[in-house]
Amino acid sequence: MQSSFTFELDGESLRVDGEPVNRTLAEYLHRNGFGRENRFHRPDPWLGGAPLILLDVDGRGRPALRSVDAALIPLPATAGRRFWSAEGLVRRAARGDVHPALALVENHPELECSWASRARILTALFEGYYRPDLQHAGQLNDQLDGCLSRTANYPALRDVAAELFSQAQQRRHEAEQDARRQGREDDFHKGRIDIFGDEFSAILAGDAQEPEDLSYVDSDKRRYHRPQTIVDLAKLLAQFPDAYIGGGSSRLLMNRTGSISDCVISTEGVGDLRTLYDKQDTWDIGGAAPLTTINEIVGSQYAPLGKALRRYATRPIRNRITLGGCLAAGRADDELVPALISLDAQVRVISMDGERDIPVVRFFEGNGRTNLRPSEVIADVLLPRFAGETLKKRGCHTRFADSYKAAPRRELSSGGVSAGFAVELDKTGKITNSWIAYGGIADRPFRARETEATLKGRPWSEDTIFSVLTQLSREAQNAPGAKALAERVSDIDYRRQLVITLLQKFYYQHPHADAPPVELGVISEVLDPSRKLYQPAATA
């Protein structure tokens, strides 16, 4: 095993010797004098954190520049990786290399704020500038969430972001036209063309680099392993059954007993666990796939999951945190779980002894415990494909689903109530199957099976929904762990009211099975999410 490694920050190679396995990148940078105005000193991820830019790989295996929170990255996870900082952008500007994101922020008086807030803004704008998919107004929320500041003018920030991203898309449009004239259209769509003519664009046009194999030991003899294959991962899990299993990010490197682990095993180097496989009947989502990757690949195909992913934490967190990590944490209020239940998802876990498939709702055992056994790891989350033939075999004519989250604010808010609903109807409009799931109302995610049974065979109508609300409320209050939660949560009455309110909202948004959802208010990514951020100008 090695006791040192290197990573790169703003073009400078940094050597790490014997640093604790459970130290974060933010702690390391602060201790070594990096960051203006001490922005790496104890940053709170739920207040925006301390973001950097990481050279990563997107869901299609291409290089991608991702904003990540240094406060959530274990230091050994940086081995062999490349990062850039907002401070680095400022130093480049002093040498005459002014990035468009920095130029717009510096020249806008209404974006005056602390350096920590400005660094978050610059990082978000920088990442968005190189995102080829950032084209619609509704995606601004996705890109700018986490840019928290007490003084910055948010309408001004949205205007700056729209201008910057419009510039980037206009340049992409021109590059696509040039590629078409040169017969290189295929290279353009594969990301093989240097669009912006700068260092970062050249990197994106190159080859992707996967995380390297790593076996590191710190000065206290704690270990960090980053294997490259599933076989090596399973062997390590068998050798260290009490190890902490991490994906791309973590705040506390604890084992399952709650103490600091002597061994950490990372899944982010295992390519098979970071990949999404499109199979005939299912999508197999790797347990180590970051949430951003999942949303990019299947978010539009599974609307409830895509909607939940867009509101999960912030983009720097979504760029690193994995779906397997969310499930393994066992949180009772995780807002992704009800959406997964409504999609009839299953969790596949593996070990040297073989594999098991577990319905998501049965994966949780309450109070942070899960169905995972020692030496097991989440390999995949299986999402059924609800194609016409599949529904026909189940006696269904149509299926619709949605997810909801009630929380104090749109982003960076935990501890609320989330819900996932799905209904399958036959040709006469009667309910053949339903899924009613909640998070945040008990000590584990909850599925209202009794209410689902009552709905079966009844018409999809307002009268039907109203007739089961009392039963649903009673069933939710008797859910496992619900009474214990009521003893320590002050807003329990509000949460119980949400149980029936969210189901009513689901009906009123989907009153007709074959029609698009009805918008109730303006909360659909702000009024007109499909509006293009830019209109391509004519090219010569």
Side-chain angles (χ1 to χ4, degrees):
M1 297 189 70
Q2 62 195 73
S3 60
S4 65
F5 58 85
T6 61
F7 70 94
E8 186 178 299
L9 177 63
D10 293 325
E12 178 185 357
S13 180
L14 302 177
R15 182 181 176 87
V16 176
D17 286 297
E19 293 279 355
V21 162
N22 62 325
R23 178 158 290 164
T24 68
L25 175 57
E27 291 171 336
Y28 174 83
L29 293 177
H30 174 71
R31 289 166 65 92
N32 287 274
F34 291 91
R36 290 173 55 178
E37 298 180 9
N38 289 324
R39 79 174 179 103
F40 292 113
H41 183 52
R42 297 181 180 177
D44 187 341
W46 294 100
L47 293 176
L52 297 168
I53 292 293
L54 167 68
L55 177 61
D56 207 351
V57 180
D58 69 11
R60 295 173 176 82
R62 300 177 301 199
L65 294 169
R66 304 289 205 195
S67 58
V68 296
D69 187 356
L72 292 176
I73 300 180
L75 186 56
T78 68
R81 311 303 294 271
R82 299 178 68 182
F83 297 85
W84 291 269
S85 68
E87 290 85 353
L89 292 181
V90 173
R91 289 194 294 270
R92 284 171 174 269
R95 300 193 298 266
D97 182 9
V98 183
H99 193 274
L102 180 62
L104 284 173
V105 171
E106 292 289 348
N107 293 326
H108 204 299
E110 294 184 74
L111 293 182
E112 288 293 333
C113 53
S114 69
W115 174 250
S117 296
R118 177 159 290 203
R120 289 192 284 268
I121 291 172
L122 284 172
T123 304
L125 294 177
F126 180 93
E127 180 193 20
Y129 185 74
Y130 294 100
R131 273 183 64 183
D133 65 318
L134 208 167
Q135 301 177 12
H136 299 98
Q139 293 173 299
L140 281 178
N141 287 338
D142 169 59
Q143 188 59 48
L144 299 178
D145 56 15
C147 295
L148 303 183
S149 170
R150 294 181 182 275
T151 56
N153 183 313
Y154 277 87
L157 174 58
R158 290 178 62 86
D159 291 343
V160 166
E163 180 180 351
L164 178 68
F165 302 153
S166 296
Q167 290 178 12
Q169 292 301 332
Q170 176 64 33
R171 183 66 193 94
R172 284 192 178 86
H173 175 72
E174 295 169 357
E176 184 177 15
Q177 299 301 313
D178 291 341
R180 186 175 291 117
R181 286 192 291 268
Q182 298 169 15
R184 298 186 61 196
E185 192 170 4
D186 188 55
D187 285 339
F188 175 84
H189 292 298
K190 290 182 178 179
R192 292 293 185 180
I193 291 180
D194 182 350
I195 293 175
F196 299 101
D198 59 22
E199 173 192 348
F200 306 103
S201 183
I203 291 172
L204 294 177
D207 295 326
Q209 294 183 344
E210 293 285 350
E212 63 186 25
D213 186 84
L214 177 69
S215 292
Y216 169 76
V217 60
D218 66 17
S219 56
D220 293 322
K221 305 304 180 185
R222 294 193 179 102
R223 298 165 175 262
Y224 184 96
H225 295 277
R226 188 168 62 193
Q228 301 295 101
T229 68
I230 292 179
V231 173
D232 288 340
L233 173 63
K235 288 179 178 179
L236 284 168
L237 292 173
Q239 184 179 357
F240 304 103
D242 291 328
Y244 173 89
I245 303 171
S249 70
S250 176
R251 183 199 294 265
L252 298 174
L253 301 183
M254 301 291 186
N255 61 20
R256 292 170 184 172
T257 65
S259 59
I260 296 177
S261 179
D262 289 330
C263 180
V264 177
I265 301 174
S266 172
T267 60
E268 72 165 327
V270 183
D272 286 343
L273 297 188
R274 300 180 76 224
T275 304
L276 282 69
Y277 294 98
D278 183 2
K279 298 187 176 180
Q280 183 176 1
D281 298 323
T282 64
W283 269 97
D284 289 10
I285 300 176
L291 300 188
T292 297
T293 295
I294 297 170
N295 197 33
E296 289 173 343
I297 303 298
V298 301
S300 60
Q301 299 181 43
Y302 295 94
L305 181 59
K307 184 177 177 181
L309 287 169
R310 288 193 298 273
R311 290 195 63 185
Y312 194 97
T314 63
R315 188 167 178 88
I317 295 175
R318 293 192 296 271
N319 282 341
R320 291 289 287 172
I321 197 171
T322 64
L323 185 56
C326 291
L327 294 172
R331 280 180 47 202
D333 61 349
D334 191 293
E335 56 261 40
L336 298 181
V337 175
L340 291 172
I341 294 174
S342 74
L343 296 171
D344 206 19
Q346 292 191 322
V347 180
R348 176 166 293 164
V349 301
I350 61 170
S351 68
M352 289 296 290
D353 297 326
E355 62 182 43
R356 299 188 295 139
D357 289 354
I358 311 164
V360 168
V361 71
R362 295 181 184 171
F363 183 74
F364 297 85
E365 297 182 344
N367 296 317
R369 299 188 304 273
T370 69
N371 206 289
L372 275 176
R373 300 168 183 167
S375 302
E376 284 186 331
V377 66
I378 296 174
D380 300 284
V381 175
L382 312 179
L383 294 181
R385 300 183 74 96
F386 300 104
E389 284 301 315
T390 302
L391 293 176
K392 187 177 180 180
K393 291 178 183 178
R394 292 157 57 148
C396 304
H397 176 65
T398 187
R399 187 183 205 275
F400 51 94
D402 214 328
S403 64
Y404 302 90
K405 175 183 175 182
R409 58 186 182 186
R410 181 189 183 278
E411 67 216 28
L412 286 176
S413 183
S414 62
V417 174
S418 55
F421 306 114
V423 172
E424 293 179 353
L425 307 178
D426 63 15
K427 290 184 178 180
T428 67
K430 291 183 178 179
I431 300 169
T432 57
N433 295 294
S434 61
W435 288 257
I436 301 175
Y438 297 94
I441 65 170
D443 68 355
R444 70 199 73 180
F446 167 67
R447 183 174 175 185
R449 293 186 181 275
E450 294 178 12
T451 304
E452 293 173 5
T454 301
L455 287 172
K456 192 167 185 177
R458 302 183 65 177
W460 179 246
S461 67
E462 184 179 50
D463 288 343
T464 296
I465 295 301
F466 272 82
S467 70
V468 300
L469 293 182
T470 299
Q471 177 185 357
L472 175 61
S473 179
R474 183 171 58 251
E475 186 179 0
Q477 291 183 46
N478 293 326
K483 293 181 180 179
L485 181 71
E487 294 175 358
R488 64 178 187 271
V489 176
S490 59
D491 64 346
I492 194 65
D493 290 336
Y494 172 65
R495 294 185 183 216
R496 288 172 175 169
Q497 180 62 38
L498 285 172
V499 168
I500 61 175
T501 300
L502 293 179
L503 181 60
Q504 290 175 284
K505 183 174 183 179
F506 174 59
Y507 172 76
Y508 287 124
Q509 286 205 279
H510 302 269
H512 306 292
D514 297 325
V518 176
E519 295 299 342
L520 304 178
V522 298
I523 284 297
S524 54
E525 303 298 339
V526 185
L527 290 180
D528 188 7
S530 61
R531 176 177 58 84
K532 285 279 189 178
L533 284 174
Y534 82 109
Q535 294 297 328
T539 54

